[in-house]
Amino acid sequence: MTLKSDDIRNIAHLARLHIDEDAIDRYAADLSSILALVDEMNQVDCSGVAPLSNPLDATQRLRDDVVTEENQRDKFQSIAPDVEQGFYRVPQVIE
Amino acid sequence: MSLGVNEIRRGLAKGKFSSVEITRDYLARIARYNPTLNCFISVTDEIALAQARAADAALAKGNAGTLTGVPLAHKDLFCTDGVRTSCASRILDNFIAPYDATVVANFKRDGAVMLGKTNMDEFAMGSSNENSYYGSVANPWNTGHVPGGSSGGSAAAVAAGLAPGATGTDTGGSIRQPAALCGVTGIKPTYGRVSRYGMIAYGSSLDQGGPFARSAEDCALLLQTMSGFDARDSTSSEQAVPDFGAALGRGIDGLRIGLPKEYFADGLDGRIAAVIETAIGELRRLGADIRDISLPNTRLSIPTYYVVAMAECSSNLARFDGVRFGYRCENPVDLEDLYKRSRGEGFGAEVKRRIMIGTYALSAGYYDAYYLKAQQLRRMIKDDFQQAFTDVDLILGPTTPEVAFRIGAKTDDPVSMYLQDIYTISLNLAGLPGMSLPVGFVDGLPVGMQLIGNYFDEAGLLNAAHSYQQVTDWHLQAPELEA
């Protein structure tokens, strides 16, 4: 699979990553070479093999639906880029 | 200098030196050698000395923990309450963690002193430590060469005697490979053995924390502190944790050790193969029963790993958005611009490559061809190991195909860098424990031997490594440092 510059722009958008225009070709080449490595997977027939997502085949542990964390809003907001009155500020979203 | 963790512990217990004295010694060594080696991103002098004073008081009162007063370093990927936790990324350059990782809390509980936070590849993505926002780490054995990665700072710090032990994390070899390249001992435990809470996530189904130290005996002590069930990690294991130290010294007479033929095939430096052969001879003399085995899908572990790891990282790193913590770009025009530029400017090139591959592999129309296929291959790789473990107790091979390469030698070719992980990454896919220990040199650079154990058999690995280290002295070699 070879990726073209428009593919890179599309993937970067999906990943919400700004990529400088003059770096697009480089990413296209690098990502294409990684995909060429990945395409080695196609040599193997895996039909009938159950996918493995947790290496120990463990399932997600559940817990009771009760509050376990204490409120630390001020501490958490002390490291935020922009806050006001307990809210996180971002550029205006709704006109 | 260059004492081990257990030696320091005994010295403190006997009153040969105080924790403040030994901590000052390490801080002085860091001040002297870190400008050349760049092992540390942050040195936490004041915290270290305060903890050392508290440790001396506890030692005087006779209520010391297992590591009271022992100075150690943490990979800068473990969250440390009130201390910058950068993950070697610009995006977290200003991030003061608001809580302790469970691993960090466990070391505090047992009395350890924190010297600082070690350098690494950004978000643990790399095999050379060159992908750090804070610059490359130099290999203490030859400063023109890489220390390996991603936990390169921790491995180099232990090799250079800037810390007697350090924490690391291993997603595809990030403890074992730098341990090999720096000539120290490191262990990646079974997936689920060490809590991932507060360990900044890369590939969540692969990530596992573990220690670096100068010997298997020291690793056993550090791993003891790190291990155990943690309700805050949804994949933490409830398996009982044995006394790792007590398992040492039982010898390896009759132990069945398998040599996978795929680990000694094309691509392995013949001089490394010769060094490993000599080490195998030592194990044979100790009574090990050496057998040939096969792990047929080894070659496919690289593409499989890179799909799984990159897919998981693209999801995990979505949280870095410039809103709640970390770097935010200047003057965003709208929310999308804020996300894109904060991430585009905050992440380095390798991190962006991996996020994009992962995004692509998970995108509509490609999921089955990439992610699902990789998960099927993952089971086949795991099955290979399970088959092998019906015939052997441990598996042995080289940790890396080459010794430490020159800084800059592979930076233009991501794929050639990925091939460095050929012997290490299949364990993460299978979730198995593995360790690397030094067994010799090629061109004045250390060679690491990897031991692979069955699930939750860290004690068996440590015992085998300890047995080897009782009759050899490769682990005691130390580099001459340039100040």
Side-chain angles (χ1 to χ4, degrees):
Chain A
M1 174 62 81
T2 304
L3 296 175
K4 300 189 174 57
S5 47
D6 276 350
D7 297 321
I8 298 299
R9 289 189 192 94
N10 182 42
I11 297 166
H13 170 69
L14 290 174
R16 298 297 184 271
L17 281 173
H18 173 81
I19 303 290
D20 288 332
E21 263 312 299
D22 60 7
I24 296 271
D25 288 348
R26 183 65 211 258
Y27 276 102
D30 284 348
L31 268 54
S32 295
S33 73
I34 296 170
L35 289 177
L37 172 80
V38 163
D39 284 342
E40 288 177 29
M41 294 195 309
N42 297 327
Q43 299 163 0
V44 186
D45 179 9
C46 295
S47 48
V49 179
L52 178 69
S53 54
N54 177 301
L56 305 178
D57 270 322
T59 50
Q60 195 77 5
R61 203 174 53 244
L62 300 177
R63 63 168 175 82
D64 293 338
D65 186 15
V66 292
V67 175
T68 55
E69 295 293 325
E70 53 183 300
N71 184 0
Q72 301 184 69
R73 186 173 71 180
D74 290 346
K75 186 174 186 184
F76 293 157
Q77 291 211 322
S78 70
I79 53 170
D82 193 2
V83 294
E84 187 178 310
Q85 295 175 27
F87 293 97
Y88 293 92
R89 274 170 58 111
V90 294
Q92 187 174 347
V93 177
I94 302 164
E95 293 296 329
Chain B
M1 236 330 270
S2 278
L3 298 174
V5 173
N6 277 288
E7 286 169 289
I8 291 174
R9 196 173 159 225
R10 285 191 289 269
L12 289 166
K14 285 185 189 153
K16 282 166 86 175
F17 42 76
S18 69
S19 177
V20 168
E21 284 166 348
I22 193 102
T23 298
R24 279 193 206 284
D25 282 351
Y26 279 105
L27 291 171
R29 280 180 74 81
I30 293 168
R32 181 161 177 212
Y33 297 112
N34 197 53
T36 311
L37 297 174
N38 201 26
C39 300
F40 284 84
I41 289 173
S42 304
V43 181
T44 51
D45 310 57
E46 287 181 20
I47 291 170
L49 289 168
Q51 289 176 334
R53 280 190 288 273
D56 284 333
L59 286 159
K61 273 193 243 152
N63 55 1
T66 55
L67 291 168
T68 293
V70 177
L72 298 171
H74 290 305
K75 185 177 186 180
D76 203 16
L77 171 151
F78 287 98
C79 284
T80 41
D81 195 0
V83 174
R84 178 171 66 166
T85 301
S86 74
C87 238
S89 182
R90 183 185 188 196
I91 212 161
L92 289 178
D93 181 50
N94 63 0
F95 177 63
I96 309 295
Y99 68 103
D100 277 331
T102 296
V103 162
V104 171
N106 287 356
F107 278 110
K108 281 187 180 171
R109 176 199 66 203
D110 290 347
V113 168
M114 179 172 76
L115 294 167
K117 308 287 297 285
T118 57
N119 206 343
M120 53 182 280
D121 283 297
E122 183 179 2
F123 285 101
M125 298 178 193
S127 308
S128 69
N129 218 121
E130 291 163 292
N131 301 330
S132 167
Y133 179 60
Y134 304 94
S136 302
V137 173
N139 190 312
W141 292 93
N142 183 331
T143 53
H145 290 243
V146 303
S150 68
S151 314
S154 288
V158 173
L162 306 191
T167 55
T169 60
D170 190 315
T171 304
S174 284
I175 290 174
R176 292 159 286 151
Q177 188 254 14
L181 269 44
C182 289
V184 299
T185 305
I187 181 166
K188 177 203 98 72
T190 310
Y191 183 76
R193 180 64 99 188
V194 169
S195 170
R196 292 183 298 110
Y197 179 75
M199 211 175 93
I200 296 172
Y202 162 19
S204 300
S205 77
L206 305 159
D207 296 341
Q208 202 31 215
F212 291 93
R214 293 174 56 80
S215 67
E217 191 183 7
D218 286 356
C219 279
L221 186 62
L222 300 179
L223 185 61
Q224 200 77 51
T225 288
M226 295 176 80
S227 299
F229 173 71
D230 180 10
R232 290 174 137 164
D233 170 359
S234 66
T235 60
S236 178
S237 169
E238 298 185 48
Q239 281 272 337
V241 180
D243 181 338
F244 296 124
L248 304 176
R250 61 185 188 212
I252 57 168
D253 191 27
L255 192 76
R256 299 168 303 164
I257 300 180
L259 309 179
K261 66 174 188 222
E262 294 79 6
Y263 285 32
F264 295 88
D266 291 351
L268 174 65
D269 183 331
R271 299 168 301 170
I272 290 183
V275 168
I276 300 290
E277 277 301 324
T278 306
I280 292 168
E282 289 289 351
L283 296 171
R284 220 181 240 123
R285 275 190 285 284
L286 291 168
D289 170 5
I290 308 289
R291 302 176 177 200
D292 291 321
I293 60 164
S294 175
L295 297 169
N297 290 299
T298 295
R299 171 121 200 101
L300 289 159
S301 60
I302 290 185
T304 302
Y305 169 83
Y306 278 96
V307 171
V308 171
M310 294 189 195
E312 293 185 6
C313 97
S314 75
S315 170
N316 273 324
L317 271 61
R319 69 178 57 126
F320 302 101
D321 58 4
V323 174
R324 289 153 302 146
F325 53 84
Y327 174 79
R328 176 181 288 194
C329 66
E330 297 279 344
N331 306 315
V333 296
D334 56 25
L335 189 57
E336 187 163 292
D337 183 45
L338 184 154
Y339 293 148
K340 285 185 173 176
R341 279 200 296 122
S342 297
R343 290 163 61 76
E345 294 165 15
F347 292 133
E350 179 62 19
V351 174
K352 282 187 273 205
R353 280 195 283 269
R354 295 194 190 195
I355 289 173
M356 285 198 279
I357 289 284
T359 301
Y360 178 75
L362 292 175
S363 61
Y366 295 102
Y367 180 89
D368 285 2
Y370 289 109
Y371 194 58
L372 194 68
K373 177 95 185 186
Q375 288 191 315
Q376 290 175 311
L377 281 164
R378 186 174 188 180
R379 183 173 302 280
M380 292 167 70
I381 290 162
K382 174 185 164 116
D383 289 348
D384 282 355
F385 280 109
Q386 296 212 281
Q387 179 62 37
F389 280 122
T390 60
D391 186 42
V392 297
D393 304 304
L394 289 184
I395 295 172
L396 179 155
T399 309
T400 62
E402 300 171 29
V403 291
F405 46 91
R406 291 198 71 80
I407 291 173
K410 294 185 195 292
T411 38
D412 288 339
D413 184 359
V415 169
S416 81
M417 191 79 87
Y418 299 170
L419 297 175
Q420 293 301 305
D421 302 332
I422 177 81
Y423 308 131
T424 49
I425 57 181
S426 51
L427 279 70
N428 301 76
L429 290 166
L432 291 163
M435 70 186 294
S436 181
L437 61 159
V439 293
F441 292 86
V442 165
D443 288 341
L445 290 161
V447 173
M449 176 170 76
Q450 180 173 228
L451 297 174
I452 305 166
N454 210 338
Y455 293 106
F456 298 103
D457 190 24
E458 292 83 6
L461 287 178
L462 291 162
N463 172 60
H466 179 69
S467 300
Y468 176 82
Q469 291 179 337
Q470 293 302 102
V471 296
T472 56
D473 65 358
W474 299 111
H475 63 296
L476 301 176
Q477 310 290 319
E480 279 180 35
L481 301 179
E482 306 158 23

